[in-house]
Structure formats: C-alpha cells, structure tokens
Amino acid sequence: VLAAFGLPVGDEDALRSAFQHLESRRGGPLPPLVVVTAGEAGPWRMRGGAEGAKWTLVTEEGETLSGAAPSGVISWPALPPGYHRLTVTAEGREHRATVIAAPARCWQPDALDTGERLWGATAQIYG
C-alpha cells in the first residue's frame, strides 16, 4: 500500500527514510491541508511556534488576502467555496498549505425539503 503512494519501501532503510520524510512534512505551523467552512469567517490557530507570523492567502479566483498573526491565529474573512493557497512566513521560513473551503452541507434535492420520499440505486465507491 505504501509503495502505491510512491513511498520507497523496498527495505528497512528505505522505509525508515520514507518515514522520516513524512515526519518532516508534519513540522512547522501548518498541516498540508486546512479545511474550513465556506462562507464563514473566523480565526484559525496555527500549530506552535508561529507567533508573529505573516500570512498570505490566494483564493481560487486569484484574490490575495494577507495579514499578521501575532499570537499564531489567522483571522481571514469568509472564503468562497474552493481550493485556496496559504503561505505563512514564520521565523524566517515559508510554510505552505492548501485551504479547502467546503460548504457546511452537501446539496439536497428540493423534494427532500418538503418531506417527499425518494429512492434510487447507489454504489458506494469507497466501500
């Protein structure tokens, strides 16, 4: 399974190296992926060591937002749904993450809002 994800796991040394690489990606103030609710503004707290950081967020539409995070907290406005790019500069290093702004809930047919019952065939892809 690990090899299918592109990790070199042919022997114990390769596995150890791959694990160290993955652990190094976990360091810093940002995880690789941040998920927020689209349309809701609010603070987002970075991991430790990000006090005094500066941030820049480029939305999927190309709008650039930026600010400071003196206490390690980013306060951005309500984001539109989509994939956005976040860059944080802390302690002289740049850290990057993808911000996904997802709707609070998935689409629902109007008929379900009125109490109608619907049926259909489904296939659970991940099952």
Side-chain angles (χ1 to χ4, degrees):
V1 172
L2 294 175
F5 283 110
L7 296 174
V9 293
D11 58 34
E12 190 173 326
D13 289 335
L15 183 59
R16 186 174 291 113
S17 176
F19 181 73
Q20 288 171 345
H21 171 72
L22 290 174
E23 285 297 310
S24 72
R25 299 271 318 224
R26 292 178 57 182
L30 299 176
L33 184 66
V34 176
V35 180
V36 299
T37 302
E40 289 184 13
W44 183 78
R45 180 171 296 284
M46 293 182 280
R47 296 192 279 217
E51 288 75 18
K54 305 270 189 231
W55 62 271
T56 302
L57 184 125
V58 179
T59 68
E60 192 172 70
E61 292 84 20
E63 180 184 1
T64 300
L65 310 169
S66 61
S71 60
V73 176
I74 297 175
S75 293
W76 52 52
L79 297 175
Y83 293 83
H84 314 295
R85 294 185 318 272
L86 174 64
T87 303
V88 169
T89 304
E91 299 176 355
R93 294 184 60 205
E94 271 195 0
H95 307 274
R96 290 188 169 85
T98 298
V99 176
I100 297 178
R105 56 181 267 191
C106 67
W107 175 83
Q108 176 172 296
D110 293 334
L112 291 180
D113 288 334
T114 62
E116 270 187 65
R117 297 183 67 154
L118 303 176
W119 67 274
T122 64
Q124 304 303 321
I125 295 171
Y126 296 107

